[in-house]
Amino acid sequence: MSSASSKKDATRIGIAMVLGLIIGMILYNTGQGDLVSYVKPIGTVFIRLLKMMIVPLVLSSIYMSMVNLGTPEQLGSMGRKAMGYYFVTTAIAVMFGLIFVNLINPGVGADLGTQGLEGLSTSMSERVQSNEGLWKTVIGVIVDAIPTNPFGAMANSTILQVIVFSIMLGWATLYHMKESEPITKFMGALEHLSLVMVNGIMKLAPIGIFVLMLDVMAKSGYGALVSLSKYILTVLVGLLCHACFLMFIASWRLKKSPMFIIRGIFPALMTAFSTSSSAATLPVTMKSVEENLGVHNETAKFVLPLGATVNMDGTALYESVAAIFIAQAYGIDLSIGQQMIIFMTASLAAIGAAAIPGAGLITMSIVLGAVGLPLEGIGLILAVDRLLDMFRTTVNVFGDAVGTIVVDSYLDREG
Ligand code: ASP
């Protein structure tokens, strides 16, 4: 795609989003929010079409990327680089979260009730239990990634399991190229047709995004925004800093201006913002990084599906802020050791979170449980979760795209 048409796409989608926000706000303020229900199905159709593409695209693109790479060594090298990137950037995201939540202290003095305090664990033996919980969580995430039935995983859209199966199938193919020819042909065709369909679906993006924004704005009240404004601010400042850090890396590795990068990835960022799902955004992210940012096709096909599922910088940052906010709101002092446990569990919870709306809120229980904070605390942040999900998903997707740029740039250099 030319830079001019990527500019056009970005402009159209940007206008659609802003219009959706403004008109939605007007409808909310004039008490006409219900009107949105007439057009909402358009947004639902857009999301469903994107979701329809996830399993065929993940299955075929990971497989084909492995087969095209040719050797297990090259594949291992790409996998190691991607994992290294995910690990480092997720840790940095959590660090940003911890820094800002400790600086801004959004929960200190918040009058949010003290229910659940009795569930607090402070004794040494309970700390030990927390560490056991952490270990169990690590093992749980790994074991759950292995499908007992790959077709079941596909039928249920359990993406991490589909990825594991595709990687194993691709791996086996690398050693038996001749015997796998029919499967490779089938996967190649499936991948090609999936991309053709994604191109068609993306024609709907401006109207889909417009309606989704309209719906969010027309439905949500402002009350919760005010009482939780310091908490929202902490999450947003953290996300912004992390996004700037990611942009710096992307700009350095791609040797392009931030403006060029934003424009290229804009359709994916806006789709992430309006759908709150990295998985639903995956087809758009793939299209954007390949066509607009010139990332090598084989890298994008392997690194992006993996990233959409396990690399969630925004979610990790959000989980660390939310856990400490809850502790502060309950008046609980967390030791450095407990903050370290939050650091680790927030990263794990982000890896374990499905790339769907609200998943981060569900895996919050891992973080809270590990340091013995009351699970009822989740109730405190529920009201603004939908709003924050939009922002953290956008950063998740941005992190995936930058990861692809970084891995690709190092592969190119090696040559
Ligand atoms: N909605 C996020 C995503 O799909 C996950 C989360 O809830 O944090 O990336």
Side-chain angles (χ1 to χ4, degrees), residues 6-18 202 209 259-273 281 284 288-289 292-293 394 397-398 401:
S6 104
K7 207 168 170 177
K8 240 201 229 150
D9 272 358
T11 314
R12 265 197 221 122
I13 290 174
I15 292 174
M17 195 196 75
V18 174
M202 279 313 285
I209 289 173
M259 206 47 223
F260 176 89
I261 295 167
I262 291 199
R263 198 186 297 138
I265 194 73
F266 198 70
L269 297 183
M270 286 305 103
T271 308
F273 191 72
T281 310
V284 189
S288 301
V289 296
N292 303 342
L293 300 181
T394 308
V397 167
F398 189 46

Side-chain angles (χ1 to χ4, degrees), residues 212-277:
L212 290 171
M213 294 323 301
L214 198 65
D215 185 50
V216 171
M217 288 314 289
K219 264 206 318 235
S220 61
Y222 299 100
L225 299 193
V226 177
S227 66
L228 288 167
S229 56
K230 253 177 134 184
Y231 163 66
I232 297 172
L233 182 84
T234 312
V235 176
L236 294 187
V237 170
L239 289 176
L240 185 69
C241 279
H242 190 65
C244 290
F245 162 71
L246 291 173
M247 178 55 87
F248 171 76
I249 303 183
S251 192
W252 164 51
R253 296 310 305 169
L254 203 60
K255 299 185 184 70
K256 295 280 185 196
S257 72
M259 206 47 223
F260 176 89
I261 295 167
I262 291 199
R263 198 186 297 138
I265 194 73
F266 198 70
L269 297 183
M270 286 305 103
T271 308
F273 191 72
S274 58
T275 62
S276 289
S277 168

Side-chain angles (χ1 to χ4, degrees), residues 276-279 308 312 315 318 353-361 389 392-393 396:
S276 289
S277 168
S278 310
M312 295 195 187
T315 301
Y318 148 86
I356 55 171
L361 194 69
D389 200 1
R392 66 180 188 252
T393 307
N396 288 345

Side-chain angles (χ1 to χ4, degrees), residues 31-60:
Q32 310 277 314
D34 288 348
L35 284 179
V36 178
S37 61
Y38 293 106
V39 287
K40 194 174 171 208
I42 300 175
T44 312
V45 165
F46 177 58
I47 294 191
R48 287 184 74 109
L49 284 170
L50 286 174
K51 282 189 177 165
M52 178 179 85
M53 300 314 305
I54 301 171
V55 169
L57 197 59
V58 167
L59 182 72
S60 61

